[in-house]
Amino acid sequence: MFKLNLKIALRNLYNNKLYTFVNIFGLSIGITGCILIFTFIKFQLSYDRHFNNGERIYRFVTDWKYNNFDDYSSGVPFPLAPAAQSELPGIEKIARISRNSGVIIVKDGKGTIKYKANRELYFVEPALFDILQVQWITGKSNNSLAEPNTVVLSENTAKLLFGSVKDAENKTVTLWNSVPLRVVAIFKDIPNSSSVPMEIMASFSTFWGNKNQDWDSVSSYNQCFALMSKDASVTTFNQSLKRFSQKYLQQKNYQDSNNINCKR
């Protein structure tokens, strides 16, 4: 019976070629669309899930409310981190990062340029790697990045610049044609679904604007991450954060409704 029904179905499909084509083509488009949508949603939901303690990692953001529009920024005022560390309860670790770009140059022992290209990099405080934890191949960057003119690289970046991880150890790359950065550690590549594309991470003390104290200057290039304590109270923290915003933004700013928030 099954073979008979199958033969009849195939004969009908063959005899109605246009109808068959339209149905199969439509079904293929539908299945392909579902797969693409599923893949996209899965990728978006995977962001930052590879970091340990993900449920305790937060990023500070800024809401600016003007007369004609509202502005939302992932950037925060540069002096936020030191003030938050001392005044907000429940913060275990906090770290600033600043996204930059510039020409990276690598030379061999004879001074010949082996690599030269414009690359994006981040200036980061050492505590960032206590928050966004990575797997280290060489080095102990949590301490080393406290020193100026130091840098850590992802595995692929180290291979690109120097040929291998081993050859990259303790070598120097030059930034902006004048700033030497010594490679002190190398970490395994992280997934693309990361809020911070971690490839070239330089010491924060090397950054020219690391002593900026302007609370009214906010750029999405300058961000701040925090690792909350295991016993931290979200309610208490949000209440303190509201008072913190009033103290440093609403009392000092031109607007009376600017706020700093914390998002997971």
Side-chain angles (χ1 to χ4, degrees), residues 50-103:
H50 48 276
F51 291 122
N52 296 331
N53 302 316
E55 72 284 354
R56 296 197 288 130
I57 297 175
Y58 287 77
R59 176 170 60 181
F60 288 90
V61 297
T62 309
D63 294 331
W64 303 90
K65 298 185 182 299
Y66 299 93
N67 293 330
N68 298 324
F69 67 96
D70 295 347
D71 187 22
Y72 174 86
S73 174
S74 60
V76 295
F78 227 72
L80 179 141
Q85 179 77 78
S86 61
E87 298 184 30
L88 295 178
I91 295 179
E92 183 175 315
K93 296 283 185 178
I94 192 168
R96 291 173 288 184
I97 69 172
S98 181
R99 179 161 58 93
N100 256 270
S101 65
V103 175

Coordinates of all heavy atoms in Angstrom, one line a residue, residues 50-103:
H50 N 30.5 32.8 27.3 CA 31.7 32.0 27.5 C 32.5 32.5 28.7 O 33.4 31.8 29.1 CB 32.5 32.1 26.2 CG 32.7 33.5 25.7 ND1 31.8 34.1 24.9 CD2 33.7 34.4 25.9 CE1 32.2 35.3 24.6 NE2 33.4 35.5 25.2
F51 N 32.2 33.6 29.3 CA 32.9 34.1 30.4 C 32.4 33.4 31.7 O 31.2 33.3 31.9 CB 32.8 35.6 30.6 CG 33.5 36.4 29.5 CD1 32.7 37.3 28.7 CD2 34.8 36.2 29.2 CE1 33.4 38.0 27.7 CE2 35.5 36.9 28.2 CZ 34.7 37.8 27.4
N52 N 33.3 33.1 32.6 CA 32.9 32.6 33.9 C 32.2 33.7 34.7 O 32.5 34.8 34.5 CB 34.1 32.1 34.7 CG 34.8 30.9 34.0 OD1 34.1 30.1 33.3 ND2 36.1 30.7 34.1
N53 N 31.3 33.2 35.6 CA 30.6 34.2 36.5 C 29.8 35.2 35.7 O 29.7 36.3 36.1 CB 31.6 34.9 37.4 CG 32.5 34.0 38.3 OD1 31.9 33.0 38.8 ND2 33.8 34.2 38.4
G54 N 29.3 34.8 34.6 CA 28.6 35.7 33.7 C 27.4 36.3 34.4 O 27.0 37.5 34.1
E55 N 26.8 35.6 35.4 CA 25.6 36.2 36.1 C 26.0 37.3 37.0 O 25.1 38.1 37.5 CB 24.9 35.1 36.8 CG 25.6 34.6 38.1 CD 26.7 33.6 37.7 OE1 26.9 33.3 36.5 OE2 27.4 33.2 38.7
R56 N 27.3 37.5 37.3 CA 27.8 38.5 38.2 C 28.5 39.6 37.5 O 29.0 40.6 38.1 CB 28.7 37.9 39.3 CG 28.0 36.9 40.2 CD 28.8 36.7 41.5 NE 30.0 35.9 41.2 CZ 31.2 36.2 41.7 NH1 31.4 37.3 42.3 NH2 32.2 35.4 41.4
I57 N 28.6 39.6 36.2 CA 29.3 40.6 35.4 C 28.3 41.6 34.9 O 27.3 41.3 34.3 CB 30.0 39.9 34.2 CG1 31.1 39.0 34.7 CG2 30.7 41.0 33.3 CD1 31.8 38.2 33.6
Y58 N 28.6 42.9 35.2 CA 27.8 44.0 34.8 C 28.6 45.0 34.0 O 29.8 45.2 34.3 CB 27.1 44.7 36.0 CG 26.0 43.8 36.6 CD1 26.3 42.8 37.4 CD2 24.7 44.1 36.4 CE1 25.3 42.0 38.0 CE2 23.7 43.4 37.0 CZ 24.0 42.3 37.8 OH 23.0 41.6 38.4
R59 N 27.9 45.8 33.2 CA 28.6 46.9 32.5 C 27.8 48.2 32.8 O 26.6 48.2 32.7 CB 28.6 46.7 31.0 CG 29.2 47.9 30.2 CD 29.5 47.6 28.8 NE 28.3 47.2 28.1 CZ 28.2 46.9 26.8 NH1 29.3 46.8 26.1 NH2 27.1 46.6 26.2
F60 N 28.5 49.2 33.2 CA 27.9 50.5 33.5 C 27.5 51.2 32.2 O 28.2 51.1 31.2 CB 28.8 51.4 34.3 CG 29.0 51.0 35.7 CD1 30.0 50.1 36.0 CD2 28.2 51.5 36.7 CE1 30.2 49.8 37.4 CE2 28.4 51.1 38.0 CZ 29.4 50.2 38.3
V61 N 26.3 51.8 32.1 CA 25.9 52.5 31.0 C 25.3 53.9 31.4 O 25.1 54.1 32.6 CB 24.8 51.8 30.2 CG1 25.3 50.4 29.6 CG2 23.6 51.5 31.1
T62 N 25.2 54.8 30.5 CA 24.7 56.1 30.8 C 23.5 56.5 30.0 O 23.4 56.3 28.8 CB 25.8 57.2 30.5 OG1 27.0 56.8 31.1 CG2 25.4 58.5 31.0
D63 N 22.5 57.0 30.7 CA 21.2 57.5 30.0 C 21.2 59.0 30.1 O 21.3 59.6 31.2 CB 20.0 57.0 30.7 CG 19.9 55.5 30.6 OD1 20.3 54.9 29.6 OD2 19.3 54.8 31.5
W64 N 21.2 59.7 29.0 CA 21.1 61.1 28.9 C 19.7 61.5 28.4 O 19.3 61.2 27.4 CB 22.2 61.7 27.9 CG 23.6 61.2 28.3 CD1 24.2 60.1 27.8 CD2 24.5 61.9 29.1 NE1 25.5 60.1 28.4 CE2 25.7 61.2 29.2 CE3 24.4 63.1 29.9 CZ2 26.8 61.5 29.9 CZ3 25.5 63.5 30.6 CH2 26.7 62.7 30.6
K65 N 19.0 62.4 29.2 CA 17.7 62.8 28.8 C 17.7 64.3 28.6 O 17.9 65.1 29.5 CB 16.7 62.4 30.0 CG 16.6 60.9 30.2 CD 15.5 60.6 31.2 CE 15.5 59.1 31.5 NZ 15.1 58.3 30.2
Y66 N 17.5 64.7 27.3 CA 17.4 66.1 26.9 C 16.0 66.5 26.7 O 15.1 65.7 26.8 CB 18.3 66.3 25.7 CG 19.7 65.9 25.9 CD1 20.2 64.6 25.6 CD2 20.6 66.8 26.4 CE1 21.5 64.3 25.8 CE2 22.0 66.5 26.6 CZ 22.4 65.2 26.3 OH 23.7 64.9 26.5
N67 N 15.8 67.8 26.4 CA 14.5 68.3 26.1 C 13.8 67.6 24.9 O 12.6 67.3 24.9 CB 14.5 69.8 25.9 CG 14.9 70.5 27.2 OD1 14.7 70.1 28.3 ND2 15.6 71.7 27.0
N68 N 14.6 67.4 23.9 CA 14.0 66.9 22.6 C 14.2 65.4 22.4 O 13.6 64.8 21.5 CB 14.6 67.7 21.4 CG 14.2 69.2 21.5 OD1 13.1 69.5 21.9 ND2 15.2 70.0 21.1
F69 N 15.1 64.8 23.1 CA 15.4 63.4 22.8 C 16.1 62.8 24.0 O 16.7 63.5 24.9 CB 16.2 63.2 21.5 CG 17.6 63.8 21.6 CD1 18.7 62.9 22.0 CD2 17.9 65.1 21.4 CE1 20.0 63.5 22.1 CE2 19.2 65.6 21.5 CZ 20.2 64.8 21.8
D70 N 16.1 61.4 24.0 CA 16.9 60.7 25.0 C 18.1 60.0 24.3 O 18.0 59.6 23.2 CB 16.0 59.6 25.6 CG 14.9 60.2 26.4 OD1 14.9 61.4 26.7 OD2 13.9 59.5 26.8
D71 N 19.2 59.9 25.0 CA 20.4 59.3 24.4 C 20.9 58.2 25.4 O 21.0 58.4 26.6 CB 21.5 60.3 24.2 CG 22.7 59.8 23.4 OD1 22.5 58.7 22.7 OD2 23.8 60.3 23.5
Y72 N 21.1 57.0 24.8 CA 21.6 55.9 25.6 C 23.0 55.6 25.1 O 23.3 55.4 23.9 CB 20.7 54.7 25.4 CG 21.1 53.4 26.1 CD1 20.9 53.2 27.4 CD2 21.9 52.5 25.4 CE1 21.3 52.0 28.0 CE2 22.3 51.3 25.9 CZ 22.0 51.1 27.3 OH 22.4 49.9 27.9
S73 N 23.9 55.4 26.1 CA 25.3 55.2 25.7 C 25.9 54.1 26.6 O 25.7 54.0 27.8 CB 26.2 56.5 25.9 OG 27.5 56.2 25.6
S74 N 26.7 53.2 25.9 CA 27.5 52.2 26.7 C 28.7 52.8 27.3 O 29.4 52.2 28.1 CB 27.9 51.1 25.7 OG 28.7 51.5 24.7
G75 N 29.0 54.0 26.9 CA 30.1 54.7 27.5 C 29.8 55.4 28.9 O 28.6 55.6 29.1
V76 N 30.8 55.6 29.7 CA 30.6 56.2 31.0 C 31.7 57.3 31.2 O 32.7 57.3 30.5 CB 30.7 55.2 32.1 CG1 29.5 54.2 32.0 CG2 32.0 54.5 32.1
P77 N 31.5 58.2 32.1 CA 32.5 59.2 32.5 C 33.8 58.5 32.9 O 33.7 57.5 33.6 CB 31.9 60.0 33.6 CG 30.4 59.8 33.4 CD 30.2 58.5 32.9
F78 N 34.9 59.0 32.5 CA 36.2 58.4 32.8 C 36.5 58.2 34.3 O 37.0 57.1 34.7 CB 37.3 59.2 32.2 CG 38.3 58.3 31.4 CD1 37.9 57.7 30.2 CD2 39.5 58.1 31.9 CE1 38.8 56.9 29.5 CE2 40.4 57.2 31.2 CZ 40.0 56.7 30.0
P79 N 36.1 59.1 35.2 CA 36.4 58.9 36.6 C 35.5 58.0 37.3 O 35.6 57.9 38.6 CB 36.4 60.4 37.2 CG 35.9 61.2 36.1 CD 35.6 60.5 34.9
L80 N 34.5 57.4 36.7 CA 33.5 56.6 37.3 C 34.1 55.5 38.2 O 33.7 55.3 39.3 CB 32.5 56.1 36.3 CG 31.4 55.2 36.9 CD1 30.1 55.5 36.2 CD2 31.7 53.7 36.8
A81 N 35.0 54.7 37.6 CA 35.5 53.5 38.2 C 36.1 53.7 39.6 O 35.7 53.0 40.6 CB 36.5 52.7 37.3
P82 N 37.0 54.6 39.8 CA 37.6 54.8 41.1 C 36.5 55.2 42.1 O 36.5 54.8 43.3 CB 38.6 55.9 40.9 CG 39.0 55.9 39.5 CD 37.7 55.5 38.8
A83 N 35.6 56.1 41.7 CA 34.5 56.6 42.6 C 33.6 55.4 43.0 O 33.2 55.3 44.1 CB 33.8 57.7 42.0
A84 N 33.2 54.6 42.0 CA 32.3 53.5 42.2 C 32.9 52.5 43.1 O 32.2 51.9 44.0 CB 31.9 52.9 40.9
Q85 N 34.2 52.2 42.9 CA 34.9 51.2 43.8 C 34.8 51.6 45.2 O 34.6 50.7 46.1 CB 36.3 51.1 43.3 CG 37.2 50.1 44.1 CD 36.9 48.7 43.7 OE1 37.3 48.2 42.7 NE2 36.1 48.0 44.5
S86 N 34.9 52.9 45.5 CA 35.0 53.3 46.9 C 33.6 53.6 47.5 O 33.4 53.6 48.8 CB 35.9 54.5 47.1 OG 35.3 55.6 46.3
E87 N 32.6 53.9 46.7 CA 31.3 54.3 47.2 C 30.1 53.4 47.0 O 29.1 53.5 47.7 CB 31.0 55.7 46.6 CG 32.0 56.8 46.9 CD 31.5 58.1 46.3 OE1 30.3 58.4 46.2 OE2 32.4 58.9 46.0
L88 N 30.2 52.5 46.0 CA 29.1 51.6 45.8 C 29.3 50.2 46.4 O 30.4 49.6 46.3 CB 28.9 51.4 44.2 CG 28.5 52.7 43.5 CD1 28.4 52.4 42.0 CD2 27.2 53.2 44.0
P89 N 28.3 49.7 47.1 CA 28.5 48.4 47.8 C 28.3 47.2 46.8 O 27.7 47.3 45.8 CB 27.3 48.4 48.8 CG 26.2 49.2 48.1 CD 27.0 50.3 47.3
G90 N 29.0 46.1 47.1 CA 28.8 44.9 46.4 C 29.7 44.7 45.2 O 29.6 43.7 44.5
I91 N 30.7 45.6 44.9 CA 31.6 45.5 43.8 C 32.8 44.7 44.2 O 33.5 45.2 45.1 CB 32.0 46.9 43.2 CG1 30.7 47.5 42.6 CG2 33.0 46.7 42.1 CD1 31.0 48.9 42.0
E92 N 33.1 43.6 43.6 CA 34.3 42.8 43.9 C 35.5 43.3 43.1 O 36.6 43.5 43.6 CB 34.0 41.3 43.7 CG 35.1 40.4 44.0 CD 34.8 39.0 43.9 OE1 33.7 38.6 44.3 OE2 35.6 38.2 43.3
K93 N 35.2 43.5 41.8 CA 36.3 44.0 40.9 C 35.6 45.0 40.0 O 34.5 44.9 39.6 CB 36.9 42.8 40.1 CG 37.6 41.8 40.9 CD 39.0 42.3 41.3 CE 39.8 41.2 42.0 NZ 41.1 41.6 42.4
I94 N 36.4 46.0 39.5 CA 35.9 47.0 38.6 C 37.1 47.3 37.7 O 38.2 47.4 38.1 CB 35.3 48.2 39.3 CG1 34.6 49.0 38.3 CG2 36.4 49.0 40.0 CD1 33.7 50.1 38.9
A95 N 36.8 47.6 36.4 CA 37.9 47.9 35.5 C 37.4 48.8 34.3 O 36.3 48.6 33.8 CB 38.5 46.6 34.9
R96 N 38.2 49.7 33.9 CA 37.9 50.6 32.8 C 38.6 50.0 31.6 O 39.7 49.4 31.6 CB 38.4 52.0 33.1 CG 37.6 52.8 34.1 CD 38.3 54.1 34.4 NE 39.5 53.9 35.2 CZ 40.2 54.9 35.7 NH1 39.8 56.2 35.4 NH2 41.4 54.7 36.3
I97 N 38.0 50.3 30.4 CA 38.6 50.0 29.1 C 38.4 51.1 28.2 O 37.4 51.8 28.3 CB 38.1 48.7 28.5 CG1 36.6 48.8 28.1 CG2 38.2 47.5 29.5 CD1 36.1 47.7 27.2
S98 N 39.3 51.4 27.3 CA 39.2 52.4 26.3 C 39.6 51.9 24.9 O 40.7 51.4 24.7 CB 40.1 53.6 26.7 OG 39.9 54.7 25.7
R99 N 38.6 51.9 24.0 CA 38.9 51.4 22.7 C 39.6 52.5 21.9 O 39.2 53.7 21.9 CB 37.5 51.0 22.0 CG 37.7 50.5 20.6 CD 36.4 49.7 20.2 NE 35.2 50.5 20.3 CZ 34.7 51.2 19.3 NH1 35.3 51.2 18.1 NH2 33.6 51.9 19.4
N100 N 40.6 52.0 21.1 CA 41.4 52.9 20.3 C 41.8 52.2 19.0 O 41.5 51.0 18.8 CB 42.7 53.4 21.1 CG 42.6 54.8 21.6 OD1 42.9 55.7 20.9 ND2 42.1 55.0 22.8
S101 N 42.5 52.9 18.2 CA 43.0 52.2 17.0 C 44.3 53.0 16.6 O 44.5 54.1 17.0 CB 42.0 52.3 15.8 OG 41.8 53.6 15.4
G102 N 45.1 52.3 15.8 CA 46.4 52.9 15.4 C 47.2 52.0 14.6 O 46.9 50.8 14.6
V103 N 48.3 52.5 14.0 CA 49.2 51.6 13.3 C 50.1 50.8 14.2 O 50.7 51.3 15.1 CB 50.0 52.5 12.3 CG1 51.1 51.6 11.6 CG2 49.2 53.3 11.3

